[in-house]
Amino acid sequence: MRLTLKIWRQQTRSASGKFVTYSVDNVNSDMSMLECLDVLNEQLIENGDDPVAFEHDCREGICGSCGFMINGIAHGPLPATTVCQLTMRHFRDGQELVLEPWRAKAFPLIKDLVVDRRSFDRIIAAGGYISVSTGSAPDGNAILVPKESADRAMDAAACIGCGACVAACPNASAALFTGAKIAHLGILPQGKPERDIRAIRMVTQMNAEGFGGCTNIGECIGVCPKEIPLEVIAAMNRDYFRGSWRERDNVVTTLRPFTEWSTGSKLKVDPHSGN
Amino acid sequence: MSATLVSVRESRPARFWDSTNGQKIVMGITGAILFVFVIAHLLGNLQVFLGPEALNAYGRFLRGVPEILWIVRIVLLAAVILHIWSSIKLGRRKLRARPIGYSRKENIASTYASRTMYWSGPIILAFVIYHLLHLTAGIVHPGFDFVEGDVYHNVVASFQVWYVSAWYIFSMVLLGFHVRHGAWSMFQSVGINHARHTSILKNAAAVVAVLLVLGYVSIPLGILLGLVK
């Protein structure tokens, strides 16, 4: 099949970007969206042009690396699918696809379709964990977990942190991501002791990152490749409300949003130079 | 590597009020107060169909004890101010959160009502200010003579002016849209969501919104059609 790809090209964060239209003729309908971009990139490299930068890793829909907008929908038109799992048979021969990176202040652009999602890492670092004692392994079934709790926690834990929720949200809010992390730990008995402070810390970090506020519109759940339910945002609100009320004098700090790259070198290498 | 620069601790109340979640909780709770008001106000207003005696008696009853009237007014005013305050805070954040917009964006999972809250809200505010000047204070009353205390006369005479009725009907439809999203969203904001119950709640919000619009709109329509004179 033949496709026209209209792709956002931007060399560096500070450079100005624009859409460039490419025609890809030899698209196999069983290819994934990323393989289609691989074919395009081979053409570009053979012609001596700069290939399109896009993020990818596992290509089996579970790592959360890939993702961009296809015709205005995060991860494209197929529900519960990442772009690496989206096969080209879902498009018509001759169709034009507009590929655009996630757009949010908290996701600064790196190059073309690649954005910096370290703001998610900082939200996790703020409290998305449980504290455990090291030493000998604990008895396997010492803590009883009801099946329903395990299922609900697993549903929330399915979040791969791809950022589609932020991309689709009219407010560019990270509520679904943060809610999924808070809910998946808070539902389990192992996560209960730190439930209050976890919600306060993660929410405080989320709000420090420049994401918008959740207004319960629900666009996020329409694009989430893991079908995280809107319920997790209520879980975050509940834990934050509860935690803010019960808190006494916990010290809450935030990591300052940091968008530059350390090269680990004393040489002044600019990673945004595009070379 | 992310840098780990640690900022100083903020005080607890400041953090709650500064957070988007805290602002949504404020919006949800004040929205609930205003929701109860619009229901009660509708039930009171529908007495226009019972005739002048009933409505005027209801008007006197509301103003019977000035202390209670003013407590209710202050609570409502505070709710309105906090509701607007949180929407401004969240709206400003929304504008900053996506400096470069999409060339193309599809909405696939949200209601029209939920996406237009920032439009329906300010228009309803404009209506409420007009409505207070119109029928409470009696300062702006095109096309009729305002008679203090004769609620029935004021209502019937004012809605006989077609453009006053049209503006009222338009605003009430927008109120319906606002309630259609707000009436279930306020539960989500304070942390109440359940896999089984929330879908019922969303449907209930839609039904209540429709009933609310039909109830309010029936008054100017009844007067324009000559059913209430």
Side-chain angles (χ1 to χ4, degrees), chain B residues 2-220:
Chain B
S2 301
T4 51
L5 300 169
V6 175
S7 65
V8 292
R9 179 184 183 256
E10 297 162 83
S11 67
R12 188 179 63 86
R15 215 168 54 231
F16 180 83
W17 292 91
D18 280 344
S19 74
T20 57
N21 311 56
Q23 285 155 10
K24 277 298 284 182
I25 289 166
V26 170
M27 188 178 285
I29 292 171
T30 54
I33 294 169
L34 298 172
F35 177 73
V36 170
F37 168 77
V38 293
I39 299 287
H41 190 50
L42 172 64
L43 295 178
N45 286 1
L46 286 176
Q47 295 178 61
V48 74
F49 291 106
L50 298 178
E53 294 79 19
L55 192 67
N56 288 345
Y58 171 67
R60 281 193 301 277
F61 161 75
L62 285 185
R63 291 172 185 245
V65 187
E67 291 80 4
I68 295 175
L69 177 69
W70 277 102
I71 289 169
V72 173
R73 281 176 172 174
I74 288 165
V75 169
L76 287 173
L77 187 65
V80 167
I81 289 169
L82 286 171
H83 201 72
I84 294 168
W85 168 82
S86 54
S87 73
I88 290 172
K89 295 289 270 187
L90 288 161
R92 284 169 56 93
R93 200 175 240 279
K94 173 193 167 96
L95 293 177
R96 286 196 305 268
R98 182 166 289 141
I100 304 166
Y102 290 109
S103 70
R104 190 168 165 192
K105 178 74 174 68
E106 304 289 332
N107 297 306
I108 56 169
S110 56
T111 57
Y112 178 79
S114 70
R115 293 193 305 271
T116 52
M117 295 296 270
Y118 282 118
W119 291 100
S120 54
I123 295 171
I124 293 166
L125 174 68
F127 168 77
V128 168
I129 292 168
Y130 168 76
H131 193 56
L132 289 173
L133 294 174
H134 179 210
L135 286 173
T136 305
I139 297 167
V140 183
H141 45 90
F144 77 102
D145 292 320
F146 185 85
V147 183
E148 177 87 41
D150 191 352
V151 182
Y152 187 86
H153 161 79
N154 293 335
V155 170
V156 172
S158 63
F159 283 135
Q160 278 165 348
V161 183
W162 71 269
Y163 54 84
V164 172
S165 284
W167 167 228
Y168 183 93
I169 291 167
F170 171 71
S171 304
M172 288 306 103
V173 171
L174 289 183
L175 177 68
F177 277 110
H178 210 73
V179 167
R180 193 252 168 277
H181 177 65
W184 82 266
S185 175
M186 59 195 182
F187 289 92
Q188 171 86 1
S189 293
V190 297
I192 300 168
N193 187 319
H194 189 280
R196 271 191 305 122
H197 306 153
T198 297
S199 58
I200 300 169
L201 188 61
K202 282 186 182 180
N203 291 335
V207 170
V208 170
V210 169
L211 290 177
L212 204 61
V213 172
L214 289 178
Y216 274 116
V217 165
S218 71
I219 298 166

Side-chain angles (χ1 to χ4, degrees), chain A residues 35-116:
Chain A
E35 285 164 337
C36 180
L37 286 178
D38 290 336
V39 171
L40 170 67
N41 278 346
E42 281 176 16
Q43 285 177 22
L44 292 176
I45 292 165
E46 281 171 14
N47 296 339
D49 294 329
D50 190 25
V52 177
F54 61 90
E55 206 175 340
H56 64 109
D57 189 12
C58 75
R59 299 212 181 194
E60 40 185 58
I62 54 169
C63 76
S65 297
C66 65
F68 41 78
M69 306 295 279
I70 303 174
N71 289 350
I73 303 174
H75 287 302
L78 204 64
T81 310
T82 54
V83 285
C84 65
Q85 293 286 294
L86 175 66
T87 44
M88 304 315 286
R89 71 177 80 97
H90 297 289
F91 299 109
R92 290 189 318 277
D93 188 31
Q95 196 176 348
E96 184 191 65
L97 304 184
V98 181
L99 309 189
E100 209 172 344
W102 297 161
R103 299 220 187 263
K105 182 165 177 282
F107 285 169
L109 191 126
I110 296 172
K111 187 180 177 181
D112 297 340
L113 300 175
V114 183
V115 297
D116 177 356

Side-chain angles (χ1 to χ4, degrees), chain A residues 214-261:
Chain A
C214 174
T215 53
N216 306 333
I217 287 172
E219 275 299 320
C220 50
I221 56 169
V223 299
C224 178
K226 297 298 152 189
E227 298 184 305
I228 306 290
L230 208 59
E231 199 179 338
V232 301
I233 297 179
M236 166 179 71
N237 291 337
R238 184 169 60 241
D239 284 6
Y240 179 72
F241 200 2
R242 197 182 97 123
S244 298
W245 179 258
R246 287 159 44 120
E247 184 197 18
R248 287 164 190 251
D249 54 357
N250 291 310
V251 175
V252 174
T253 55
T254 53
L255 302 179
R256 190 179 303 170
F258 189 76
T259 54
E260 298 310 311
W261 297 96

Side-chain angles (χ1 to χ4, degrees), chain A residues 143-151 187-190:
Chain A
I143 302 170
L144 298 178
V145 181
K147 176 74 168 76
E148 193 189 284
S149 302
D151 288 348
I187 290 167
L188 294 174
Q190 292 90 337

Side-chain angles (χ1 to χ4, degrees), chain A residues 127-206:
Chain A
Y129 50 79
I130 59 165
S131 303
V132 292
S133 305
T134 55
S136 56
D139 186 18
N141 292 318
I143 302 170
L144 298 178
V145 181
K147 176 74 168 76
E148 193 189 284
S149 302
D151 288 348
R152 280 171 56 217
M154 191 60 218
D155 285 348
C159 170
I160 53 177
C162 65
C165 46
V166 176
C169 176
N171 302 310
S173 166
L176 195 71
F177 168 80
T178 312
K181 301 305 170 193
I182 287 174
H184 105 247
L185 294 168
I187 290 167
L188 294 174
Q190 292 90 337
K192 290 266 194 271
E194 290 163 300
R195 188 177 151 196
D196 289 350
I197 191 66
R198 177 185 306 116
I200 292 172
R201 284 190 181 145
M202 293 181 78
V203 162
T204 307
Q205 184 65 38
M206 174 184 81

